[in-house]
Amino acid sequence: MPALVRKRRLATALAVALLLPGLALAQTAKEAELEARVAELEKMVQQLVQQQQSQAPAAAAVAPAPAPAAASTTPTIQSTPILTAGNPGSRFSYGGFIKLDAMVTDTSDGQIADGNSGRLFYVPSTIPVAANGAEPDTDPYADFHAQFSRFWLGADYETDDGDKLKAYIEADFFGGGTNALAGNETSTNTYAVTLRHAYVSWNNWLAGQTWSNFQDTAALPDTVDFLGVTDGTIFVRQAQLRYTNGPWSLSIENPQTLVTAYQGTSRYNSGDNVMPDVTGRWVTKGDWGHLSLAGMLRQFKDGDETAGGGAVSVGGKFNLGASNDLRYMVNAGSGIGRYMAFGMGTDVVQDIDGDIDPLDGYSGFVAWRHVFNDKLRGNLMYSAAHFDNDVDLTGYGVTERSQSIRANLIYSPFPKLDVGAELTYGQRSLEDDREGDLKRIHTTVKYSF
């Protein structure tokens, strides 16, 4: 038995010895085959990646990404039209200014009533006058307001044939309070919007409310006060139809008759007019400045009573070199009262029978402007008005004349920003020789946009 066992063990060992090399060879062959397959897969993946990388630039060349749009240099408010109801292609514009007025006033014969327009700017007819021999004890008084701040809107359009149309509307806040609480100075100082201009023009025609064609606004001085030379200037805004051709302009304008009752017991407006006020103007301009000549014909009507009158106005600006100019205006007429000195005098006066007679009036101003540098300028002005009252009809309590002198300095630390101060002396005289005067220090801060 032992011998047999030993033989079997020997045979088994011999078989294992013979089989092991074969198994090792088979295992090695399988491993080599697997490694070859892995290497082939890696090669295929690498080729695919290289192919995708080579195709990307070609695709980019065929369909390049769109370049970013160039930024527009024109500022826009919104992407949709502002004038949604206007003609396509209409141009919209907006502007105005913010203005603070602060002043201290000293009047010789009593205060100007609080809430009166004379507390806001120079209105000669509001200067108080006391009875002869009276000496009212009046202390200076101060007023602050921003009522003359304003804004305007414009819409311009030009047709394919070259016809030009323009719409314009402008307002400020000189309309007084909307109610007792809102309009006073106790709490909110809120004021109503006031229509200044509202018109449309097409080519040579204009229809709507704006400055009277009888007024030369280009001759007005550079003042801190709203108007300044009130005594001597023509000042009216009203509805009209106007035609302009070169230097010539003609208009028909809203008629209104300002009446002094017999013996000056009252004054009132009559809206009985049938004929419009008719005006004509001629203007010439050059490097030297400008000159304006204007004329006006009027009908006056109060009830069944009628009368006629007319007036002329000459105004302009004369340049005195680069740093100085003179501005001026001279006015005269029969029945000129409503147009002159902010209505200080009337157009007509009633006689004892109720008939109406035109009043003659004269006025003018002259102003010198000097520019010290690009930030500082100053003005010196004189203005006056006079009425030929028939005291048998008007009585002695009506204004005969007024005059004023003023000087100012206006500093502009930044473009469109004005900081100014103005000294004013004004005087009003009645037919009975009563007089009152006004002294005022008026300051302002104004930013235009």
Side-chain angles (χ1 to χ4, degrees):
M1 286 296 293
L4 181 59
V5 171
R6 285 197 297 269
K7 288 181 180 179
R8 288 180 178 177
R9 290 178 177 174
L10 181 61
T12 301
L14 181 61
V16 170
L18 292 173
L19 289 173
L20 282 176
L23 291 172
L25 289 173
Q27 183 67 29
T28 302
K30 288 182 178 180
E31 291 177 353
E33 182 180 358
L34 288 173
E35 290 177 356
R37 288 183 178 180
V38 170
E40 184 177 359
L41 288 173
E42 290 177 346
K43 183 177 180 181
M44 291 174 63
V45 170
Q46 186 176 6
Q47 289 176 348
L48 181 61
V49 171
Q50 291 176 349
Q51 183 179 6
Q52 290 177 345
Q53 291 177 346
S54 62
Q55 288 177 350
V62 173
S72 174
T73 58
T74 303
T76 59
I77 298 176
Q78 60 184 49
S79 58
T80 58
I82 295 177
L83 301 173
T84 56
N87 289 313
S90 296
R91 296 179 300 279
F92 173 80
S93 55
Y94 171 77
F97 59 72
I98 305 299
K99 189 175 191 288
L100 169 69
D101 289 294
M103 66 202 77
V104 175
T105 304
D106 184 11
T107 41
S108 62
D109 294 273
Q111 287 190 2
I112 300 173
D114 193 19
N116 190 289
S117 60
R119 296 284 289 254
L120 307 180
F121 67 108
Y122 176 65
V123 182
S125 60
T126 65
I127 298 175
V129 293
N132 288 327
E135 296 182 0
D137 184 13
T138 304
D139 293 325
Y141 43 99
D143 292 283
F144 288 60
H145 71 91
Q147 293 187 47
F148 294 134
S149 301
R150 72 179 63 159
F151 62 91
W152 56 263
L153 307 171
D156 296 84
Y157 176 71
E158 185 170 349
T159 68
D160 294 338
D161 296 330
D163 296 308
K164 296 181 179 179
L165 292 93
K166 178 182 181 64
Y168 183 87
I169 187 167
E170 180 179 293
D172 64 12
F173 304 90
F174 183 44
T178 56
N179 57 59
L181 175 63
N184 60 36
E185 298 179 51
T186 304
S187 52
T188 61
N189 287 266
T190 304
Y191 299 96
V193 174
T194 305
L195 178 67
R196 289 172 52 85
H197 302 272
Y199 64 83
V200 59
S201 65
W202 64 99
N203 297 332
N204 296 352
W205 291 93
L206 178 148
Q209 175 169 307
T210 189
W211 298 114
S212 170
N213 188 48
F214 189 60
Q215 179 180 350
D216 182 11
T217 57
L220 293 177
D222 187 9
T223 60
V224 169
D225 184 89
F226 171 69
L227 187 55
V229 289
T230 312
D231 321 79
T233 190
I234 300 298
F235 187 94
V236 169
R237 290 190 303 265
Q238 59 191 8
Q240 61 192 269
L241 178 65
R242 183 189 301 181
Y243 177 78
T244 303
N245 190 349
W248 295 95
S249 57
L250 301 171
S251 72
I252 54 174
E253 306 188 11
N254 179 58
Q256 189 80 351
T257 301
L258 188 57
V259 184
T260 296
Y262 178 64
Q263 286 295 303
T265 56
S266 65
R267 56 185 287 171
Y268 59 92
N269 273 289
S270 168
D272 298 330
N273 299 73
V274 176
M275 299 297 296
D277 293 352
V278 180
T279 78
R281 172 179 295 279
W282 176 79
V283 179
T284 182
K285 302 178 182 179
D287 294 338
W288 51 271
H290 85 274
L291 172 65
S292 170
L293 306 177
M296 176 172 60
L297 295 175
R298 303 183 64 192
Q299 180 207 50
F300 309 110
K301 197 169 190 299
D302 182 26
D304 294 331
E305 303 301 325
T306 61
V312 294
S313 178
V314 179
K317 182 177 77 169
F318 188 72
N319 296 323
L320 302 171
S323 302
N324 298 273
D325 65 60
L326 283 176
R327 307 179 190 204
Y328 58 91
M329 186 179 291
V330 178
N331 317 291
S334 178
I336 196 175
R338 181 170 74 88
Y339 282 80
M340 192 175 73
F342 226 74
M344 186 175 71
T346 64
D347 301 320
V348 298
V349 60
Q350 284 183 330
D351 63 20
I352 194 171
D353 298 321
D355 295 334
I356 53 176
D357 299 313
L359 291 174
D360 294 337
Y362 319 91
S363 72
F365 72 78
V366 61
W368 169 57
R369 181 175 185 261
H370 176 70
V371 178
F372 296 93
N373 53 52
D374 59 350
K375 293 186 176 182
L376 182 65
R377 61 192 188 273
N379 298 267
L380 182 64
M381 295 154 272
Y382 175 76
S383 180
H386 178 87
F387 287 91
D388 285 340
N389 299 300
D390 183 347
V391 294
D392 291 334
L393 301 180
T394 64
Y396 287 87
V398 295
T399 301
E400 178 187 13
R401 64 182 182 277
S402 73
Q403 59 182 342
S404 65
I405 186 170
R406 68 189 62 242
N408 67 38
L409 287 174
I410 302 173
Y411 177 65
S412 301
F414 307 104
K416 303 293 185 179
L417 178 64
D418 291 339
V419 180
E422 188 167 275
L423 298 176
T424 299
Y425 174 81
Q427 184 184 67
R428 175 187 172 211
S429 303
L430 306 188
E431 287 288 353
D432 59 9
D433 295 331
R434 284 181 293 164
E435 292 184 347
D437 61 56
L438 172 148
K439 296 179 283 291
R440 176 173 286 168
I441 300 174
H442 190 157
T443 62
T444 191
V445 177
K446 175 183 174 183
Y447 178 68
S448 302
F449 54 87

